[in-house]
Amino acid sequence: MTNLEDALSEIDVLAAADMTDTAPTKSALDDKINEHFAGAVVRKDLVKAVRGNAVVPSYVLEYLLGQYAASDDEATIQAGIDTVRQILATHYVNRNEHMLVKSKIRSKGRHRVIDRVTVTLNEKNDVHEAEFENLQVKGVIIDDVTVKQNPKLLVGGVWCICDIEYFHSDDQRVVPWILGSLKPIQVAGVDIDLYHEARKAFSTEEWVDLLTQSIGLNPEQFTDRGKLIALTRLIPFVERNYNVVELGPKGTGKSHTFSEFSPNGILISGGEVTVAKLFVNNASGRIGLVGYWDCIAFDEFAANRRADQNLVNVMKNYLANKSFSRGTSIFGAEASMAFIGNTTHTVPYMLKNSDLFDELPDAYRDPAWLDRIHHYIPGWEVAPIRSEMFSTGYGFVVDYLAEILRAKRSEDFSDKYKHYFTLDSSVSTRDQDAIRKTFSGLMKLVHPTGEATEDEVRVLLEFAIEGRKRVKDSILRIDATMRDTPVHFRYADVTGAWHEVSTLEESQYPPLYRRNWDAAPHSDVGSGGDEVAPVPGESAAAGPVGGDASDAAAPTRPADVPLAEGHRDFSAGQKGISYETLLLPYLRGASKITITDPYIRMPHQGRNLADLLSLLAAAKDDAEEIDVVLVTTEQPKAEFKQNQLLMLKAIKDASDAVGVRLSVRLDDTIHDRRIETNHGWRIDLGKGLDIWQKTSDNPFDFGRNRQEFRLIGSAFTVHYVKIPVTPELEATL
């Protein structure tokens, strides 16, 4: 039996993207970009074209493309692509070919390589030594001048183009590898004044699209809000000491910006960091990552359940004061921090049962630590990345933009809103600082000259307020003592009119969001307080069906849906049959469901599955979750297998987003078709979920959207069996 994720990992998902040899049609925006930023932009789809099996960050590839293919002339681009491919084929070191490259260096005496280089100080011999990650060579002597010019070699490592020489010695203590030259892969310098001047030629909408394309995303696939969320990930690169959290579903590109975008940022595992690595090593006195990087991102932060309390305390002081003490010394640094992780629950579930920081390790759910966070990016609003969401237009060479953002870190745009707006006086100093830093970062990105209209400023200010409000409201759920002083997240315009700012989830789930603050922080909605109004769209019939009718707490079921053991027969050509009447009454109230059907392969079969999952989502309470396991077989034909797996992944993404958490198991030994629930029902499906004839080609055929109008394909029987609810049943499901 194979999981869907394992099956997908065996397939190159990028092959599903529309990769053609013909160049994409240039837009008017692309022409304007090339006109004003010639030589500093590149067509974004070229990265995929040249990457091959080179496991390097995008900024390394775009650095090379910027050298040879930064043009809108197709002939120049193709020649540049060929050159970059040749450079990668000749000089990039594949880890599994390191011995071949070593042999080449030995035979030639000297060879140029592209590799990640890390430097350590050999205190015994008083020399710096370089280690090449993919070449798997260490102990290479590197001169102090080179290390001083590139201090990041000492912390985290840097991608470089190096000349390596080989000279064998009979002395076993001497490393035969000699570093001839080292050049970090980064832009030498940028003209910030030219950047500002060129910005004036673009409207705000065009500029936001340019930035969106620059980080590799297709702006046509995103709303204005979606673009703003994507750009917020860049604030740590342009704003000093900025602290941001993003929690959301898997596959939404949270870590991509921090791992691929900039040579000035580093992505580390949240579970691997230590005080010595992050801040300072007391033994050596050497400062850690915060002293060398503009942005430090902690990946899989929510998965780190064991946190070092000492690290939390030191980090808490740093996040608040930009400094930290170790031993008798106090150090300062400017590194911003981004904490990214996956959520396993839906937003209404978190709002009902805990708070939006529910996934963080307990040590980090300290209100004092959380209060240092300037902005909470709602990762659940970001759609899982699909092939059409990648940009094929022109954008900045990411290394060029990274240097621009670094140059603007010294500027402060935090008060640019004050000409038009005033924050409410109830907003605390720490809340105001958080809002201003987010606003400043967005202004530097979208309006780098600091000039913007009132409406343009309003959009950025409201977004900054919303992100901080999301942090503060979650803290109020955790710490009841902070509720004593009411805070109004609002602003006044020049007329004196007040404008309230709310989060999107606050508008979507008001009964869950505005639960009684007098209740215990982790109690159910409405407990210990006034009765809470039902969630919009929730019906009385959404609860368990077939329970004890005398149980006043159980919602009543429709009287015309008898839940009894037995069977139902259906004839070919019959109409009026839908999952809503055939299956849903027996599935309501279950929290775990297993669907076994060997034939979920074709698009219409995937549509049937999605229809059933959407019924489950509509029937449950918004704040509840259902676990669904699909057991099916893998498409035997290789040419169709990829489409099946991608279809199942797309259904999973859509289902997970609404609280029906789907997992897929691929088992080629199954033959039966059934549905089992953890509340005591088994439905034996004669023909599985695929029971209807193909609908007509008429795009307005009612059967396309309503199952009741479809014709049954061939006769089948459905058996409903009541089974004992036991711990063993729960375990098998």
Side-chain angles (χ1 to χ4, degrees):
M1 185 177 292
T2 306
N3 290 330
L4 175 62
E5 291 77 7
D6 295 333
L8 277 170
S9 66
E10 299 174 2
I11 293 179
D12 184 2
V13 180
L14 292 178
D18 295 329
M19 300 292 290
T20 64
D21 294 331
T22 58
T25 303
K26 282 196 301 181
S27 65
L29 177 59
D30 288 334
D31 290 332
K32 182 181 283 191
I33 292 171
N34 277 283
E35 176 186 351
H36 293 280
F37 290 102
V41 294
V42 69
R43 213 177 75 204
K44 288 295 171 170
D45 60 323
L46 300 183
V47 172
K48 293 179 184 177
V50 301
R51 185 183 291 275
N53 61 350
V55 186
V56 297
S58 295
Y59 68 80
V60 173
L61 299 177
E62 290 199 19
Y63 170 85
L64 297 172
L65 288 168
Q67 304 293 309
Y68 302 101
S71 170
D72 61 346
D73 177 69
E74 196 58 34
T76 302
I77 289 174
Q78 289 303 321
I81 290 175
D82 293 339
T83 301
V84 173
R85 283 174 174 166
Q86 183 61 38
I87 290 173
L88 290 173
T90 306
H91 302 294
Y92 171 73
V93 181
N94 278 307
R95 192 173 183 85
N96 59 350
E97 297 178 351
H98 71 280
M99 199 59 70
L100 177 63
V101 178
K102 289 179 182 177
S103 179
K104 183 182 295 186
I105 298 173
R106 176 178 177 273
S107 63
K108 293 174 58 179
R110 184 184 181 95
H111 181 63
R112 178 164 292 178
V113 300
I114 298 176
D115 202 351
R116 186 180 182 90
V117 182
T118 305
V119 172
T120 57
L121 175 64
N122 185 327
E123 297 166 341
K124 181 178 180 180
N125 298 330
D126 192 29
V127 293
H128 284 104
E129 296 177 345
E131 178 178 353
F132 292 77
E133 184 175 286
N134 289 350
L135 190 59
Q136 298 186 36
V137 166
K138 60 176 62 177
V140 182
I141 304 299
I142 179 172
D143 64 279
D144 294 345
V145 174
T146 301
V147 175
K148 187 174 182 179
Q149 292 173 343
N150 305 281
K152 288 181 185 175
L153 290 168
L154 293 165
V155 281
V158 177
W159 281 92
C160 302
I161 300 175
C162 306
D163 287 318
I164 304 293
E165 301 175 7
Y166 181 88
F167 182 79
H168 179 71
S169 171
D170 292 334
D171 188 346
Q172 297 297 317
R173 296 171 299 176
V174 176
V175 176
W177 309 104
I178 301 171
L179 180 63
S181 66
L182 179 144
K183 183 181 184 299
I185 295 178
Q186 61 186 47
V187 172
V190 294
D191 188 338
I192 194 72
D193 292 331
L194 179 62
Y195 179 83
H196 286 164
E197 186 62 31
R199 165 64 179 93
K200 298 176 182 177
F202 295 80
S203 67
T204 297
E205 182 180 358
E206 290 174 332
W207 187 256
V208 169
D209 286 353
L210 167 54
L211 293 176
T212 304
Q213 290 185 175
S214 296
I215 57 178
L217 301 177
N218 181 1
E220 294 181 359
Q221 295 292 324
F222 292 83
T223 63
D224 290 343
R225 180 177 174 86
K227 297 173 191 175
L228 205 54
I229 289 175
L231 295 185
T232 304
R233 295 169 177 167
L234 301 183
I235 297 180
F237 296 98
V238 75
E239 190 73 19
R240 292 171 175 168
N241 300 104
Y242 182 74
N243 313 317
V244 63
V245 162
E246 179 176 3
L247 301 177
K250 295 180 180 179
T252 56
K254 294 184 294 295
S255 61
H256 173 81
T257 301
F258 302 102
S259 63
E260 302 276 311
F261 173 75
S262 173
N264 300 324
I266 185 171
L267 180 72
I268 60 177
S269 170
E272 295 178 357
V273 70
T274 62
V275 174
K277 180 178 181 180
L278 187 59
F279 293 106
V280 69
N281 188 317
N282 276 347
S284 65
R286 184 183 303 146
I287 198 167
L289 298 172
V290 295
Y292 298 93
W293 299 94
D294 291 350
C295 173
I296 302 169
F298 299 83
D299 196 14
E300 302 294 345
F301 188 70
N304 176 27
R305 308 313 300 179
R306 295 180 299 175
D308 179 3
Q309 189 60 50
N310 187 36
L311 173 63
V312 175
N313 294 335
V314 177
M315 188 184 292
K316 189 188 305 182
N317 186 58
Y318 174 76
L319 296 180
N321 305 316
K322 311 171 189 176
S323 63
F324 53 94
S325 59
R326 293 287 286 161
T328 59
S329 302
I330 297 179
F331 301 84
E334 298 180 351
S336 296
M337 291 192 175
F339 305 93
I340 53 181
N342 297 323
T343 54
T344 56
H345 297 293
T346 62
V347 172
Y349 181 95
M350 289 188 285
L351 292 176
K352 177 180 179 179
N353 295 286
S354 56
D355 54 80
L356 297 180
F357 288 110
D358 176 66
E359 301 287 348
L360 293 190
D362 291 339
Y364 290 100
R365 298 186 74 254
D366 173 9
W369 189 92
L370 296 175
D371 208 22
R372 271 74 169 168
I373 301 300
H374 297 128
H375 193 89
Y376 189 135
I377 300 176
W380 49 83
E381 292 187 34
V382 182
I385 297 297
R386 307 180 305 275
S387 59
E388 63 268 23
M389 296 170 71
F390 292 108
S391 174
T392 58
Y394 283 81
F396 291 117
V397 175
V398 290
D399 201 25
Y400 168 84
L401 181 57
E403 289 306 303
I404 290 287
L405 300 186
R406 161 171 266 198
K408 295 192 71 65
R409 282 171 72 86
S410 60
E411 300 180 32
D412 182 10
F413 285 5
S414 61
D415 62 349
K416 295 292 184 181
Y417 70 89
K418 291 185 177 179
H419 181 68
Y420 302 112
F421 307 112
T422 305
L423 293 178
D424 190 282
S425 58
S426 68
V427 180
S428 69
T429 300
R430 181 161 284 167
D431 291 332
Q432 289 192 36
D433 288 344
I435 292 168
R436 288 169 179 165
K437 286 186 76 69
T438 302
F439 174 77
S440 176
L442 290 173
M443 279 291 292
K444 293 178 192 178
L445 290 167
V446 182
H447 306 287
T449 62
E451 301 173 0
T453 66
E454 180 178 349
D455 287 340
E456 290 170 341
V457 169
R458 184 195 303 271
V459 170
L460 303 187
L461 180 62
E462 287 186 352
F463 188 77
I465 295 174
E466 178 190 339
R468 176 58 186 180
K469 187 178 190 297
R470 185 173 291 112
V471 173
K472 192 60 173 281
D473 287 354
S474 289
I475 293 175
L476 296 180
R477 288 172 175 268
I478 297 172
D479 187 356
T481 64
M482 300 185 70
R483 304 172 192 165
D484 297 336
T485 305
V487 180
H488 301 287
F489 284 91
R490 61 180 185 173
Y491 64 91
D493 57 28
V494 291
T495 68
W498 288 99
H499 303 269
E500 297 283 345
V501 176
S502 62
T503 65
L504 188 59
E505 58 272 16
E506 183 177 4
S507 303
Q508 287 180 310
Y509 311 106
L512 299 176
Y513 200 94
R514 300 168 187 152
R515 65 183 187 178
N516 193 335
W517 288 121
D518 294 331
H522 294 281
S523 64
D524 287 343
V525 176
S527 61
D530 296 334
E531 182 179 354
V532 178
V535 176
E538 179 182 338
S539 65
V545 174
D548 187 349
S550 64
D551 185 359
T556 59
R557 60 178 174 84
D560 59 344
V561 185
L563 291 184
E565 292 189 271
H567 69 275
R568 296 176 65 187
D569 297 320
F570 300 92
S571 304
Q574 186 175 344
K575 275 188 178 182
I577 307 303
S578 69
Y579 291 157
E580 190 167 5
T581 56
L582 184 68
L583 303 176
L584 184 60
Y586 293 86
L587 303 181
R588 279 196 175 110
S591 59
K592 295 181 180 179
I593 299 172
T594 297
I595 302 171
T596 303
D597 189 332
Y599 295 104
I600 307 295
R601 300 175 177 178
M602 306 303 292
H604 73 278
Q605 295 166 340
R607 181 70 265 168
N608 290 338
L609 173 63
D611 286 345
L612 178 57
L613 296 176
S614 68
L615 280 176
L616 294 174
K620 73 177 184 63
D621 186 288
D622 280 340
E624 302 302 326
E625 295 180 336
I626 301 175
D627 290 312
V628 177
V629 177
L630 170 68
V631 184
T632 190
T633 58
E634 199 168 13
Q635 173 64 259
K637 294 184 179 179
E639 61 268 31
F640 300 125
K641 182 188 299 185
Q642 178 171 288
N643 289 338
Q644 179 198 20
L645 297 179
L646 291 173
M647 175 187 74
L648 292 173
K649 177 63 167 60
I651 295 172
K652 172 178 170 56
D653 290 340
S655 183
D656 289 353
V658 294
V660 179
R661 302 190 297 187
L662 176 67
S663 60
V664 180
R665 300 175 190 164
L666 302 173
D667 185 350
D668 292 334
T669 66
I670 62 171
H671 299 285
D672 294 337
R673 300 162 176 84
R674 70 166 69 98
I675 299 176
E676 296 171 284
T677 74
N678 68 331
H679 69 341
W681 283 103
R682 187 182 79 228
I683 307 172
D684 294 324
L685 304 170
K687 286 183 60 63
L689 298 180
D690 190 4
I691 60 176
W692 294 285
Q693 296 181 20
K694 180 182 177 182
T695 56
S696 72
D697 294 332
N698 179 358
F700 302 104
D701 184 342
F702 289 178
R704 287 178 175 267
N705 296 315
R706 296 290 300 184
Q707 296 174 341
E708 297 91 332
F709 295 103
R710 301 175 190 172
L711 298 175
I712 296 297
S714 57
F716 67 95
T717 300
V718 175
H719 293 269
Y720 302 97
V721 181
K722 189 67 176 176
I723 54 179
V725 179
T726 63
E728 291 74 17
L729 174 64
E730 290 273 358
T732 58
L733 291 177

